[in-house]
């Protein structure tokens, strides 16, 4: 497996990059620079400063954590030999079939023990007798707010890069995949069922892509490599206070009733 390389300091800061993408998109929509400045100043005025410094190199570790789990599920060498679709229970240390050997494939220059401790703290892996197994196909970062926010930032940055690239590209064949399924007439009561369905469908698709990316990993450290990702997320207006309003159909019905009532009042 190829080693993770440090961040390219010659490139734009990821913080500046995401602000530039956001500002460009909003300006193209028709929002003025003055309004952008006023809104940003007002938001920052009410936000406390961060208690820790942003480290772009941390993003490479976050990607690596998910790669370790992906290999555990997809690499035949680390599957259970009696139930081949299931990841094997592995000892923590060892040169062959072990958590440390799996970690060294992704983090060849870092201490495997430290990475394993982080994966345990995140709840990504757990003890199984004297061995360890992954908890799920994915890594949840909810137990560590700093990591969770860094992961969210990376996802947002990737999304903004795709939007900026596609808006600037006149060549349909060079645009990146970017689609959304939306419907404005869904009843609020159906949201829990719909979100469970989205989680199943999108979750399965992301797992298949994760395994597909793993098969493409470069075997030589001399070969140029890059980051690729695919993200999926759901959204609804009900998460915004005051947005879960009457449907357009009900509003239209009420408007018609009001107009009939007004006509009746005018009729002698």
């Amino acid at each position: 497996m190829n080693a993770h390389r440090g961040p390219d300091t010659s490139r734009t800061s990821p913080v500046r990059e995401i602000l530039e993408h956001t500002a460009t998109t909003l300006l193209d929509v028709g929002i003025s620079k003055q309004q952008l400045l006023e809104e940003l100043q007002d938001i920052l005025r009410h936000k406390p400063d961060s208690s820790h410094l942003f480290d772009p190199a941390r993003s490479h570790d976050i990607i690596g954590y998910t790669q370790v789990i992906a290999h555990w599920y997809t690499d035949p060498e680390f599957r259970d030999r009696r139930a081949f679709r299931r990841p094997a229970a592995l000892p923590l240390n060892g040169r062959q079939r072990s958590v440390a050997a799996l970690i060294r494939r992704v983090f060849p220059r870092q201490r495997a023990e430290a990475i394993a401790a982080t994966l345990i703290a995140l709840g990504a892996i757990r003890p199984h007798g004297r061995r360890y197994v992954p908890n799920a196909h994915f890594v949840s970062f909810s137990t560590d707010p700093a990591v969770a926010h860094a992961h969210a930032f990376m996802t947002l940055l990737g999304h903004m890069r795709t939007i900026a690239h596609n808006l600037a590209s006149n060549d349909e064949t060079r645009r990146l995949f970017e689609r959304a399924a939306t419907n404005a007439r869904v009843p609020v009561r159906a949201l829990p069922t719909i979100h469970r369905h989205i989680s199943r469908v999108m979750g399965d698709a992301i797992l298949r892509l994760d395994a597909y990316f793993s098969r493409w990993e470069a075997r030589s450290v001399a070969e140029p490599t890059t980051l690729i990702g695919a993200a999926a997320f759901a959204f609804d207006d009900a998460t915004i206070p005051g947005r879960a309003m009457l449907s357009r159909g009900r509003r239209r019905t009420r408007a018609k009733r009001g107009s009939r009532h007004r006509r009746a009042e005018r009729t002698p």
Side-chain angles (χ1 to χ4, degrees):
M1 300 294 169
N2 59 308
H4 284 300
R5 300 172 185 175
D8 185 359
T9 54
S10 65
R11 297 189 63 188
T12 303
S13 155
V15 177
R16 182 181 178 86
E17 183 184 353
I18 198 167
L19 289 174
E20 285 184 343
H21 289 328
T22 303
T24 300
T25 302
L26 292 176
L27 287 170
D28 288 344
V29 167
I31 297 172
S32 68
K33 290 182 181 179
Q34 184 62 33
Q35 186 179 355
L36 281 176
L37 286 172
E38 290 174 355
E39 295 286 3
L40 183 58
Q41 288 172 349
D42 187 57
I43 290 169
L44 293 178
R45 190 180 300 116
H46 296 91
K47 294 290 183 182
D49 202 355
S50 176
S51 59
H52 56 272
L53 294 176
F54 173 70
D55 181 9
R58 188 79 185 271
S59 63
H60 292 267
D61 289 347
I62 293 172
I63 295 168
Y65 300 151
T66 61
Q67 283 184 265
V68 169
I69 302 302
H71 284 304
W72 205 333
Y73 276 92
T74 59
D75 193 325
E77 186 177 343
F78 294 95
R79 289 185 189 148
D80 193 318
R81 287 165 180 162
R82 292 171 296 182
F84 195 63
R85 293 185 178 182
R86 187 171 62 194
L90 302 174
L92 197 59
N93 295 300
R95 289 191 171 273
Q96 299 300 322
R97 277 166 55 93
S98 68
V99 177
L102 188 59
I103 289 171
R104 280 192 290 269
R105 290 191 169 196
V106 181
F107 296 97
R109 292 189 175 90
Q110 297 192 37
R111 290 179 58 249
E113 295 81 2
I115 301 298
T118 301
L119 290 172
I120 293 170
L122 289 171
I125 66 176
R126 58 181 171 82
H128 183 72
R130 296 184 177 182
R131 296 174 176 246
Y132 288 83
V133 293
N135 262 327
H137 284 78
F138 58 90
V139 179
S140 173
F141 300 108
S142 58
T143 58
D144 188 329
V147 177
H149 283 85
H151 180 262
F153 176 81
M154 289 164 47
T155 303
L156 179 59
L157 178 59
H159 193 190
M160 293 305 299
R161 283 175 175 170
T162 296
I163 291 172
H165 171 82
N166 289 349
L167 289 175
S169 177
N170 294 322
D171 186 351
E172 184 73 30
T173 63
R174 296 182 65 84
R175 291 176 187 161
L176 301 179
F177 183 86
E178 181 201 354
R179 296 177 191 167
T182 57
N183 191 307
R185 298 291 303 278
V186 172
V188 174
R189 60 176 170 77
L191 289 180
T193 302
I194 292 173
H195 280 300
R196 285 194 297 270
H197 180 72
I198 292 172
S199 296
R200 286 194 299 269
V201 173
M202 294 299 189
D204 289 344
I206 291 296
L207 290 177
R208 290 196 297 271
L209 285 171
D210 208 9
Y212 180 69
F213 294 158
S214 296
R215 294 200 296 270
W216 278 97
E217 284 188 13
R219 299 287 176 174
S220 169
V221 295
E223 183 176 0
T225 61
T226 188
L227 169 69
I228 189 170
F233 65 95
F235 58 91
D236 64 63
D237 277 359
T239 57
I240 305 172
R243 285 292 184 91
M245 306 299 289
L246 294 173
S247 70
R248 286 182 298 178
R250 290 183 65 186
R251 284 198 296 266
R252 211 165 32 237
T253 301
R254 287 195 171 186
K256 288 180 179 178
R257 287 175 181 170
S259 64
R260 284 199 300 268
H261 182 65
R262 287 192 297 273
R263 283 197 300 271
E265 288 178 337
R266 289 195 298 268
T267 302

